[in-house]
Amino acid sequence: MNGHESKPADDGRILEVRGLTKHFPITAGFLRRVVGHVRAVDDVNLYVKAGETLSLVGESGSGKTTLGRMIVRAIEPTSGEIILKLDDSTRVDLAKLQGEELRAVRRHFHMIFQDPSASLNPRMRVRDIVMEPLLYNNIAKGDDALELVRETLKLVGLQEQHLNRYPHAFSGGQRQRIGIARSLVCHPELIVCDESVSALDVSIQAQILNLLKDLQKGIGGVGLSYLFIAHDLAVVEHISDRVAVMYVGKVVEVAETKALFTKPLMPYTEALLSSVPIPDPERKAGRIILKGEVPNPANPPSGCYFHPRCPYATERCAQEAPPLREIVPGRFAACHYAETLDLKGMLRLHPPETAAAPV
Ligand SMILES: Nc1ncnc2c1ncn2[C@@H]1O[C@H](COP(=O)(O)OP(=O)(O)OP(=O)(O)O)[C@@H](O)[C@H]1O
Ligand code: SF4
Ligand SMILES: [Mg+2]
């Protein structure tokens, strides 16, 4: 295993992912014979502390969504561990749970998706959408459940009169609030946000980001933790305590946000920070576009996966894969030359306060 997780998992870590891997089979022909594998997530080690926001960044196809979906067990890992600390301080390995056992712990984590409209059933009223997880997880029913729904809607800034409306009656930002209420109603410890604000207009994004931050500080004093997947580096800088950078299914750098943004230790991170996101009218969010081709995760390059695009690559890089190592306390990078390279950080375009200030 990489050096990243050498400490015991008792320093406030709510989630600890060890050696997490997802290989999707590639099939061909009439008999759908397996001819290869897409290594979407490959031996990832990460942790999230209680009350913190860890962001995941990386180009399209780097495995962020696959990692998030494995953590909430929307898809089954190929191998690895997903250790979640529950509110009674016991730990479970989500990767090993199935059926009823998995169902029994589902209330502790939730995933919020990019497109609020697609994740809300258009034929259900808001009260039923938000109540559903309470019934599914056997937490409350009847009037008790309705009371919890009311409280949660209030928490996300929606009102009593919204209870009986259907999702189409709401704006994009309000629909995302409904999605957040649904995620929160069971009081989970961990929320995975996958591009949860990318589809929204900038001013609405700011409101939702501020809501997520307020909820993190306030909810029952339990310290809600977020795994936050995003393309917009200004948003990431604003919302994260730490940032993990993914490249072709692997985590290649992890650091506290300010340290990573001001002085990256891995050339891929430097390249990401220097890229200006390209506005994409299809998805509204800016997409990170770097020079050179993203390797095919079914057939990645030898050695360091970044070597064909890295301006600092040497012969060694094409032969030897750099493991993720602790370079200075709390900072991890997968580069043979992390100690000696002098890499550039990002020029701050927007101070964080104005990047997501309420409007
Ligand atoms: N169900 C699947 N079957 C086969 N391959 C898949 C499947 N889901 C994802 N992949 C592949 O796994 C890799 C990682 O995809 P993933 O969606 O996790 O990336 P991502 O970092 O979330 O990208 P984006 O930024 O575009 O959302 C990609 O090569 C993708 O094509
Ligand atoms: S190991 Fe080599 S190719 Fe990989 S990031 Fe470092 S310098 Fe570049
Ligand atoms: Mg994704």
Side-chain angles (χ1 to χ4, degrees):
M1 201 197 298
N2 300 333
H4 186 192
E5 301 301 327
S6 53
K7 287 187 226 155
D10 58 2
D11 60 347
R13 296 176 190 192
I14 189 155
L15 174 76
E16 181 143 19
V17 162
R18 300 183 190 139
L20 198 57
T21 298
K22 181 71 189 182
H23 292 175
F24 291 109
I26 306 168
T27 54
F30 180 64
L31 297 173
R32 302 185 61 80
R33 208 162 42 86
V34 176
V35 292
H37 284 93
V38 176
R39 299 182 202 181
V41 174
D42 204 1
D43 193 17
V44 161
N45 297 284
L46 274 183
Y47 64 84
V48 180
K49 290 188 188 179
E52 96 166 337
T53 301
L54 175 72
S55 283
L56 268 187
V57 299
E59 283 163 287
S60 190
S62 55
K64 306 178 298 293
T65 295
T66 306
L67 179 58
R69 286 170 60 82
M70 272 196 286
I71 290 171
V72 299
R73 282 300 307 271
I75 51 174
E76 189 141 356
T78 304
S79 58
E81 298 177 354
I82 307 162
I83 312 290
L84 187 71
K85 185 175 165 189
L86 306 180
D87 47 3
D88 62 359
S89 287
T90 54
R91 291 190 170 79
V92 289
D93 181 358
L94 299 179
K96 298 210 169 44
L97 300 185
Q98 299 290 350
E100 265 312 303
E101 281 185 327
L102 182 58
R103 186 186 161 108
V105 296
R106 280 213 177 271
R107 72 175 183 88
H108 295 281
F109 50 87
H110 214 283
M111 189 154 180
I112 308 176
F113 296 95
Q114 175 182 17
D115 185 354
S117 348
S119 58
L120 303 178
N121 186 336
R123 284 180 295 277
M124 283 169 78
R125 289 174 302 173
V126 169
R127 59 188 288 164
D128 298 320
I129 290 173
V130 179
M131 196 184 289
E132 198 175 40
L134 290 172
L135 304 179
Y136 175 88
N137 292 300
N138 284 327
I139 291 177
K141 52 187 180 183
D143 286 348
D144 293 343
L146 190 56
E147 194 46 41
L148 284 169
V149 170
R150 281 204 177 94
E151 276 172 24
T152 314
L153 285 181
K154 208 166 145 195
L155 212 57
V156 302
L158 293 172
Q159 276 114 45
E160 180 78 26
Q161 75 256 28
H162 295 133
L163 270 175
N164 291 318
R165 297 200 188 147
Y166 291 87
H168 67 81
F170 294 89
S171 67
Q174 282 175 320
R175 279 201 286 262
Q176 197 53 297
R177 284 175 197 267
I178 300 168
I180 293 171
R182 187 177 151 89
S183 304
L184 281 179
V185 73
C186 296
H187 285 205
E189 284 91 33
L190 177 74
I191 294 189
V192 177
C193 304
D194 190 0
E195 304 281 357
S196 307
V197 296
S198 310
L200 304 172
D201 292 339
V202 172
S203 62
I204 309 294
Q205 274 192 21
Q207 292 171 10
I208 298 293
L209 289 171
N210 286 330
L211 171 65
L212 289 172
K213 283 197 124 186
D214 288 348
L215 291 169
Q216 186 170 43
K217 284 183 235 148
I219 183 167
V222 294
L224 195 56
S225 309
Y226 296 126
L227 182 66
F228 192 87
I229 301 170
H231 275 93
D232 187 331
L233 295 174
V235 167
V236 168
E237 190 186 17
H238 175 70
I239 195 150
S240 328
D241 297 297
R242 291 184 304 128
V243 180
V245 181
M246 283 190 79
Y247 189 66
V248 198
K250 290 187 177 289
V251 169
V252 294
E253 179 157 3
V254 188
E256 286 193 355
T257 309
K258 191 172 171 205
L260 185 122
F261 273 80
T262 50
K263 186 153 183 13
L265 295 179
M266 158 73 189
Y268 178 63
T269 313
E270 180 185 57
L272 268 189
L273 296 180
S274 71
S275 70
V276 178
I278 311 292
D280 178 345
E282 291 278 297
R283 299 183 59 164
K284 287 196 183 170
R287 310 294 292 173
I288 296 168
I289 309 283
L290 301 186
K291 284 197 198 114
E293 254 180 63
V294 182
N296 177 357
N299 185 22
S302 61
C304 174
Y305 289 177
F306 191 51
H307 88 261
R309 304 166 85 187
C310 179
Y312 312 100
T314 65
E315 243 170 67
R316 181 185 175 195
C317 303
Q319 283 151 19
E320 211 182 302
L324 189 69
R325 299 177 293 129
E326 189 163 18
I327 310 297
V328 289
R331 299 205 57 180
F332 301 84
C335 172
H336 295 308
Y337 306 109
E339 285 87 351
T340 48
L341 289 174
D342 185 18
L343 304 178
K344 281 194 201 66
M346 191 169 86
L347 275 180
R348 190 185 294 271
L349 297 175
H350 316 282
E353 286 71 21
T354 56
V359 288

